[in-house]
Amino acid sequence: MKKLGVGIGWRPEIAEAVEALAGVDWVEVVAENICADHLPDSLVRLMGRGVTVVPHGVSLGLGGADRPDAGRLDALARKAEALGAPLVTEHIAFVRAGGPLTATPLLEAGHLLPVPRTWDALDVLCENVRIAQDALPVPLALENIAALVAWPGEELTEGQFLAELVERTGVRLLIDVANLHTNHVNRGEDPAEALSALPVESLAYVHVAGGLERDGVWHDTHAHPVSPAVLDVLADLASRVTPPGVLLERDDRFPAPEELAAELAAIRTTVETARPRPLLIGAGARASGGAMPVAPVPVRTPAPVPPPRTVDAAAARQRVGLAEAALLSALVAGTPAPEGFDVKRLGVQSRALAAKRADVVAKVAPELPEILGEEYRPAFLAYARKRPMTDGYRHDALDFVETLLVAGRPEDPAARTRLTAWWRERADIRPPGPAARVLHRIRTALGRGEKE
């Protein structure tokens, strides 16, 4: 595996700082935020200096019941080639559920959700990973995710699930130590036990990120400093194997460049201090000129042998699809919680998903909070409680504005006029028929408001 060193997640908001930071060996970019044929100038300059750039995908949903979308895979492949990347990375998660496979509405989470650690889900994930590997020009590495909720009736631990995945597919692992800490707080899972079960020889690199604890729940925010507890998990991992690369993730509330530099220094020090101790291989080594250091052999908890069964791939996909659709529907559409889930935790996750939708829509359509002011957030959260996301954040912004305008809001005529103009400028990204019908509804609503 290519040695990457210590890196940082490249984001447009800190692009200038990243270019100026000393000791940055490589960067990672969210794949969905760039175009293969029009790379950001900052990334081009970094590449010109020999800095490695790795695309990190967030939308494939390889843990979902459906096979990976060919268009998304092709886009990821082209970005990897444009960046000259040595590998691409994604997540062990599902991001959408429903549709023809389950005869239920297709829903988007707008977030990475955990797959059940069952043999069915593992079978589906492995097939999806093989499809992705065949479509990508470079090796694929998958990241473990953080979770607020735990699936009932799981059949494998996280370490066992990951070890079996690697055994079946040969995929590499991107281990997020902040996510291991998150799962420790939220689900009572011991990070050391997970690390003991991992095939560390398949490690591609490591993520480190900050978060905060609120009401007994750890939120993996990527918007706060890295905690000592997360660095402790990193030290444990680094004491078992020298990571090929370690990367600091920061997605919001960006600090001053010197604070980023201090966090990178702390990460580097943690890895170097916890470097695996060499072992002696006996008198033979001394006879040939001294002790020969060798890497320690990791002690790994073996994955359990699956129960004897005949795997029906189509049936497994449908079972996983129904389970994931039920969970996602409870989170974003207000349907009853599936049996066995912690209802309180589902409520926390549901509110977190709605808040993230509001935050991301405000980023992709910054004109909306500008036009609506303080009304934006409560209005969007009220909308999100009734309208699940079905087609990405840009369409979510349009749906939100349509809902407001049809209801005759906002009350301020000037704001309503600006919002109508904003919607009209962007409605052509929709199919003409529905867009025309919605525009008719909006005009009708505005007409009623003017008469009143």
Side-chain angles (χ1 to χ4, degrees):
M1 178 64 211
K2 176 182 173 67
K3 181 173 175 56
L4 296 168
V6 175
I8 189 169
W10 183 92
R11 304 293 184 265
E13 297 89 340
I14 54 171
E16 185 176 340
V18 169
E19 288 187 64
L21 282 172
V24 172
D25 302 312
W26 64 292
V27 300
E28 179 192 78
V29 59
V30 177
E32 287 78 1
N33 290 349
I34 61 170
C35 297
D37 56 356
H38 188 64
L39 297 175
D41 291 341
S42 173
L43 285 182
V44 173
R45 287 192 293 269
L46 288 169
M47 292 164 60
R49 286 162 38 186
V51 176
T52 298
V53 182
V54 174
H56 184 54
V58 297
S59 65
L60 276 183
L62 293 174
D66 290 319
R67 290 173 175 79
D69 179 78
R72 294 179 190 273
L73 282 173
D74 179 66
L76 185 56
R78 286 187 287 108
K79 291 168 187 178
E81 291 173 337
L83 294 168
L87 77 163
V88 298
T89 58
E90 248 289 353
H91 298 83
I92 301 170
F94 76 99
V95 296
R96 62 190 66 86
L101 181 65
T102 58
T104 59
L106 179 64
L107 300 174
E108 289 272 350
H111 188 69
L112 303 164
L113 294 177
V115 302
R117 295 177 196 149
T118 62
W119 294 108
D120 270 349
L122 182 62
D123 291 338
V124 171
L125 174 63
C126 287
E127 184 178 1
N128 287 348
V129 167
R130 293 188 199 100
I131 293 170
Q133 288 171 319
D134 288 343
L136 295 170
V138 292
L140 172 67
L142 294 182
E143 178 182 355
N144 60 304
I145 72 162
L148 288 177
V149 298
W151 285 84
E154 292 192 318
E155 298 166 324
L156 301 96
T157 66
E158 179 163 33
Q160 292 167 341
F161 192 87
L162 295 178
E164 187 73 14
L165 172 64
V166 170
E167 179 70 23
R168 292 193 193 185
T169 66
V171 74
R172 299 181 185 278
L173 293 178
L174 161 50
I175 297 302
D176 190 315
V177 293
N179 290 348
L180 291 178
H181 173 69
T182 301
N183 292 343
H184 172 61
V185 176
N186 294 346
R187 299 167 58 161
E189 298 173 356
D190 186 352
E193 288 185 10
L195 292 174
S196 295
L198 292 179
V200 291
E201 65 277 7
S202 297
L203 183 64
Y205 60 88
V206 178
H207 270 175
V208 183
L212 80 165
E213 188 169 350
R214 186 171 56 241
D215 299 328
V217 174
W218 185 268
H219 296 267
D220 181 46
T221 64
H222 293 194
H224 294 82
V226 177
S227 72
V230 170
L231 290 178
D232 287 345
V233 182
L234 174 62
D236 188 358
L237 172 59
S239 72
R240 301 167 188 263
V241 64
T242 300
V246 184
L247 182 124
L248 172 65
E249 286 188 294
R250 190 74 179 232
D251 294 332
D252 206 352
R253 297 183 183 179
F254 299 102
E258 53 268 26
E259 292 182 48
L260 292 174
E263 289 204 291
L264 288 171
I267 288 169
R268 191 183 298 273
T269 299
T270 299
V271 173
E272 291 176 350
T273 303
R275 186 170 295 163
R277 295 179 180 178
L279 300 180
L280 301 183
I281 62 171
R286 296 188 183 92
S288 62
M292 181 184 296
V294 297
V297 177
V299 178
R300 189 189 313 156
T301 304
V305 178
R309 63 199 181 105
T310 301
V311 177
D312 182 335
R317 282 190 180 276
Q318 188 170 53
R319 287 192 294 268
V320 171
L322 288 169
E324 291 180 345
L327 173 59
L328 185 52
S329 182
L331 290 173
V332 303
T335 57
E339 184 178 356
F341 279 94
D342 184 323
V343 176
K344 182 178 179 181
R345 283 292 174 89
L346 286 184
V348 173
Q349 180 72 87
S350 179
R351 291 189 292 275
L353 290 179
K356 180 178 180 180
R357 281 175 69 185
D359 291 341
V360 177
V361 166
K363 286 184 177 181
V364 301
E367 304 86 357
L368 300 185
E370 177 193 344
I371 294 171
L372 296 171
E374 294 183 357
E375 185 182 347
Y376 167 75
R377 194 167 188 86
F380 188 92
L381 293 178
Y383 151 82
R385 284 194 292 269
K386 299 178 181 178
R387 293 285 295 275
M389 185 164 63
T390 58
D391 196 16
Y393 286 111
R394 296 189 185 281
H395 281 85
D396 204 22
L398 279 168
D399 289 341
F400 167 57
V401 172
E402 290 167 7
T403 300
L404 286 181
L405 293 176
V406 170
R409 297 175 59 196
E411 293 183 2
D412 176 36
R416 194 161 66 250
T417 298
R418 290 180 65 194
L419 207 59
T420 303
W422 181 93
W423 187 90
R424 283 173 173 161
E425 289 174 3
R426 293 157 180 80
D428 60 357
I429 71 172
R430 295 180 175 279
R437 290 195 294 272
V438 171
L439 184 56
H440 175 72
R441 291 203 305 270
I442 292 174
R443 286 172 174 163
T444 301
L446 289 175
R448 285 200 306 266
E450 290 167 0
K451 291 176 182 177
E452 292 169 359

